C-alpha cells in the first residue's frame, strides 16, 4: 500500500505549467464537486446549528430528571467530569474530522474503510431518534393547540376522562388549609392531579390499551400533530444548508427565550425554594454508586449528540480553516450552562408541586419510559474514537498533524491524553457496566412483556451490528491473505484528505484521482497573491513529513 501510494504521488505530482483547475489566464476556478455540495451561507450558521442540535429536550427534560433521581446537586460532579473526559474531546474530534474532509457520515470513512459500518450505524440510530423526537414534538404541538383557550382543559377535574381519583388540590386548599400538614383530616394518598389524568387518559388514552401488544385505536388528533411535525422538518431542510442555516437563527435562540420565561415564572411560585434547595443540596452518598456515573455519561452523549453523525455533517459544510476549537468550547460549555439553567426552572416547579401535593420533592415526579438506546450511545462513540485516532499514539499524532494543517496549531496535551487513554477507557468501562447492570424497562407499574423487551434490545443493537457487517464487507473487497486484507482495509483510501485541492499539503498533495496540478501551495499563491499563516503551517508540516520519511528509509 505504501509503495502504491508513493508511486501515485510521483505520477500525479509532475507539475504542468497549466493546471486543469486553472483558466487560460492562470486564475483558479471553483471545483465542481464542492460547489454542488454547498456551504453555510453565514458565519453564525454553523455555530447556531450546533447549539440548536445540542440544546433541546435533553437539557430541559432529561437533565433535570436525571439530576432529580441521582442525588440532586451531587449529580453535577460526575456530569462535569464526564463532560471533560468524554464530551469535549469527542465533540472536537468529530468536528475536526468533518471539517477536514468535507464529507458526510458515510463517505468520511475513507479515513478507514474498515470502520465504514459505523457510518451506517450513525444513520440507523439517527433515524430511530428522529422518529422518537418527532413524536415528542407532536405532543408539544398538541398541547400548544389545546392551550389556545381561556379555560385550560387540564386545569380542573370533572371532565369525561377524569376518574374518582382526580383531585384539584388548589380547590381543596381553598376549603381546607390543613391539607398540606401531616395528620390532616383529609387523606390525599392515591389521588392524582387533573393535569396528570389529562396526559394519561386524554392525550395518550391509556385506558383504551391493555398493553404494548394492544395499543388501541388511532388517536387522530395526535396523528395529525405528528404529520405536522414531519412537514415542519421537511420545510426546514428543503434546500439543505441554505434553508436549515437560516432556520437555526430561530430554533437555536427561541428556546432560550422560553426557558427564561419558565425560570421567571417558576421562581415566583409558592414553594419554589423547596425544589431549588433540593436541586442545589448534594447527596454525596449517590456518588458511591456506579449508576450515577453511567447516567452522567449517557446524559453527555445524549445531549451533545456525539457519535450520531450530526456534528460531523454540520462541520463538513464549513470552510477549511473555521475555528472549530473555539466553537467546541462555546457549544459544550453553553450546553452545560443551559442544562443547569433548565434545572432551576424545572426544580422550582417541582417545589411548587411538592407544596401543593403535600409530599416531599423526591416523590413528586413519576418515572416514565424514556430510555435511549444505551448500547448505541456508548458503542458508536467507542468505535468512532478507534477509527478517528487510529492505532494508539501514532494515530493520534497523525490526526493532530491534520488538525494543525487545518487550524494552524496542534491540540494540547489535554486532548491527546483524552483521545489516547481517558476517553476510550471510560467509555469501555461504562459500556461493560451498562450491559452487566441491564434492567428491564417499565412504565409506572407496567412491565413490558419479554417480546417487547427483546425488540427494544434489538433496536439498540441494530446500529452496532452495522459495524462488524461493514468490517466483513471491507475485508472481502481487498485482495491477499486475511492479514493483508485487514491491513489494507484499515488504511486510509488514496483520495482521503481535504476536499479542495488547494488545501491538500504534505502527504495529501495531488492524491485526488486524475490530479495533475502543481503543489496546492503554488495554487494558493497564484490565487491570493501571498502566503497566509495556514500556508506557513503547511510548509512546516511538509518539512516534518519529509524528515520522517527520510528517517524511515
Amino acid at each position: 500500500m505504501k509503495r502504491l501510494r508513493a508511486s501515485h504521488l510521483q505520477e500525479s505530482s509532475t507539475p504542468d505549467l497549466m493546471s486543469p483547475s486553472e483558466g487560460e489566464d492562470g486564475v483558479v476556478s471553483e471545483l465542481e464537486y464542492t460547489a454542488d455540495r454547498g456551504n453555510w451561507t453565514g458565519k453564525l450558521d454553523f455555530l447556531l446549528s450546533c447549539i440548536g442540535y445540542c440544546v433541546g429536550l435533553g437539557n430541559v427534560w432529561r437533565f433535570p430528571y436525571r439530576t432529580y433521581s441521582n442525588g440532586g446537586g451531587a449529580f453535577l460532579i460526575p456530569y462535569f467530569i464526564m463532560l471533560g473526559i468524554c464530551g469535549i474531546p469527542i465533540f472536537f474530534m468529530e468536528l475536526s474530522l468533518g471539517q477536514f474532509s468535507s464529507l458526510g457520515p458515510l463517505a468520511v470513512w475513507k479515513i478507514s474503510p474498515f470502520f465504514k459500518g459505523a457510518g451506517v450505524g450513525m444513520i440507523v440510530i439517527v433515524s430511530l431518534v428522529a422518529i422518537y423526537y418527532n413524536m415528542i414534538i407532536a405532543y408539544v404541538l398538541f398541547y400548544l393547540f389545546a392551550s389556545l383557550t381561556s379555560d385550560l382543559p387540564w386545569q380542573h377535574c370533572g371532565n369525561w376522562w377524569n376518574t374518582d381519583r382526580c383531585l384539584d388540590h388548589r380547590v381543596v386548599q381553598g376549603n381546607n388549609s390543613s391539607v398540606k400538614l401531616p395528620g390532616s383530616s383529609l387523606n390525599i394518598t392515591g389521588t392524582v392531579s387533573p393535569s396528570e389524568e389529562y396526559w394519561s387518559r386524554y392525550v395518550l388514552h391509556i385506558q383504551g390499551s391493555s398493553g404494548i401488544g394492544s395499543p388501541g385505536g388511532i388517536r387522530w388528533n395526535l396523528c395529525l400533530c405528528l404529520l405536522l411535525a414531519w412537514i415542519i422538518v421537511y420545510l426546514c431542510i428543503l434546500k439543505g444548508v441554505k434553508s436549515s442555516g437560516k432556520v437555526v437563527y430561530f430554533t437555536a435562540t427561541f428556546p432560550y427565550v422560553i426557558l427564561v420565561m419558565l425560570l421567571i415564572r417558576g421562581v415566583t411560585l409558592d414553594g419554589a425554594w423547596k425544589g431549588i434547595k433540593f436541586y442545589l443540596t448534594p447527596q454525596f452518598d449517590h456518588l458511591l454508586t456506579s449508576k450515577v456515573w453511567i447516567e452522567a455519561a449517557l446524559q453527555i452523549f445524549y445531549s451533545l449528540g456525539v457519535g450520531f453523525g450530526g456534528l460531523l455533517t454540520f462541520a463538513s459544510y464549513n470552510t477549511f480553516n473555521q475555528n472549530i476549537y473555539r466553537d467546541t468550547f462555546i457549544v459544550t460549555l453553553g450546553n452545560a450552562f443551559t442544562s443547569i439553567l433548565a434545572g432551576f426552572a424545572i426544580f422550582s416547579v417541582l417545589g411548587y408541586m411538592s407544596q401543593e401535593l403535600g409530599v416531599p420533592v423526591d416523590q413528586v415526579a413519576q418515572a416514565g419510559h424514556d430510555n435511549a438506546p444505551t448500547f448505541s450511545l456508548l458503542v458508536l462513540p467507542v468505535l468512532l474514537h478507534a477509527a478517528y485516532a487510529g492505532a494508539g499514539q501514532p494515530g493520534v499524532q497523525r490526526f493532530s498533524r491534520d488538525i494543525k494543517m487545518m487550524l494552524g496549531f496542534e491540540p494540547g496535551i489535554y486532548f491527546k491524553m483524552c483521545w489516547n487513554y481517558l476517553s476510550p477507557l471510560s467509555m469501555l468501562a461504562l459500556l461493560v457496566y451498562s450491559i452487566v447492570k441491564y434492567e428491564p424497562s417499565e412504565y409506572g407499574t407496567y412491565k413490558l412483556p419479554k417480546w417487547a423487551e427483546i425488540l427494544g434490545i434489538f433496536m439498540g443493537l441494530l446500529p452496532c451490528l452495522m459495524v462488524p457487517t461493514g468490517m466483513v464487507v471491507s475485508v472481502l473487497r481487498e485482495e491477499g491473505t486475511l492479514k493483508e486484507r485487514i491491513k489494507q482495509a484499515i488504511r486510509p483510501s488514496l483520495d482521503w484528505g481535504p476536499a479542495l485541492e488547494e488545501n491538500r499539503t504534505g502527504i495529501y498533495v495531488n492524491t485526488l484521482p486524475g490530479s495533475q496540478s502543481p503543489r496546492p501551495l503554488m495554487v494558493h499563491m497564484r490565487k491570493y497573491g501571498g502566503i497566509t499563516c495556514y500556508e506557513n503551517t503547511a510548509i512546516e508540516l511538509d518539512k516534518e513529513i519529509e524528515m520522517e520519511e527520510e528517517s524511515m528509509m
Side-chain angles (χ1 to χ4, degrees), residues 407-424:
L407 301 181
F409 59 89
E410 280 195 17
I413 187 65
Y414 158 66
F415 283 102
K416 293 180 180 180
M417 285 292 294
C418 288
W419 290 340
N420 271 320
Y421 309 109
L422 298 180
S423 297

Side-chain angles (χ1 to χ4, degrees), residues 192-374:
V192 294
S193 64
S195 60
E196 184 176 346
E197 285 204 336
Y198 178 81
W199 161 250
S200 62
R201 296 182 60 83
Y202 181 74
V203 179
L204 298 181
H205 199 67
I206 203 169
Q207 69 274 16
S209 170
S210 58
I212 192 173
S214 177
I218 297 176
R219 300 287 293 158
W220 287 107
N221 44 11
L222 275 179
C223 188
L224 292 175
C225 288
L226 181 60
L227 175 62
L228 178 59
W230 280 109
I231 292 175
I232 293 173
V233 170
Y234 171 75
L235 294 176
C236 290
I237 62 175
L238 179 60
K239 295 183 178 180
V241 292
K242 294 187 183 298
S243 58
S244 62
K246 299 305 178 186
V247 171
V248 293
Y249 280 85
F250 172 78
T251 58
T253 56
F254 185 69
Y256 284 97
V257 176
I258 299 299
L259 187 58
V260 171
M261 293 171 62
L262 288 174
L263 178 62
I264 295 174
R265 175 55 180 157
V267 297
T268 57
L269 293 171
D270 293 335
W273 64 271
K274 295 176 63 177
I276 294 176
K277 181 181 178 181
F278 179 88
Y279 179 46
L280 296 178
T281 303
Q283 302 173 35
F284 291 109
D285 57 305
H286 283 71
L287 298 180
L288 300 178
T289 62
S290 303
K291 176 177 176 291
V292 176
W293 297 86
I294 289 284
E295 295 286 358
L298 289 178
Q299 176 60 30
I300 291 296
F301 295 135
Y302 193 92
S303 182
L304 292 180
V306 291
F308 282 42
L311 296 171
L312 189 152
T313 303
F314 289 153
S316 69
Y317 295 105
N318 281 344
T319 57
F320 189 69
N321 304 126
Q322 169 81 11
N323 191 353
I324 51 174
Y325 182 81
R326 172 202 60 200
D327 295 341
T328 294
F329 286 96
I330 291 176
V331 176
T332 55
L333 297 180
N335 178 73
F337 169 76
T338 304
S339 297
I340 294 174
L341 187 66
F344 280 99
I346 299 302
F347 275 91
S348 61
V349 176
L350 288 176
Y352 164 75
M353 294 176 65
S354 171
Q355 182 162 307
E356 290 286 299
L357 298 174
V359 296
V361 176
D362 59 355
Q363 297 180 17
V364 172
Q366 182 180 4
H369 181 40
D370 69 335
N371 290 327
T374 305

Side-chain angles (χ1 to χ4, degrees), residues 117-168:
V120 180
M122 289 179 189
I123 295 177
V124 173
I125 191 174
V126 165
S127 301
L128 295 174
V129 172
I131 296 172
Y132 165 53
Y133 254 59
N134 252 25
M135 192 64 241
I136 296 176
I137 295 175
Y139 292 144
V140 173
L141 293 173
F142 185 93
Y143 271 86
L144 175 64
F145 296 138
S147 65
L148 301 178
T149 176
S150 57
D151 188 20
L152 297 176
W154 57 83
Q155 194 170 4
H156 306 289
C157 297
N159 302 289
W160 65 262
W161 59 83
N162 292 124
T163 64
D164 296 336
R165 298 174 59 204
C166 182
L167 180 64
D168 191 341

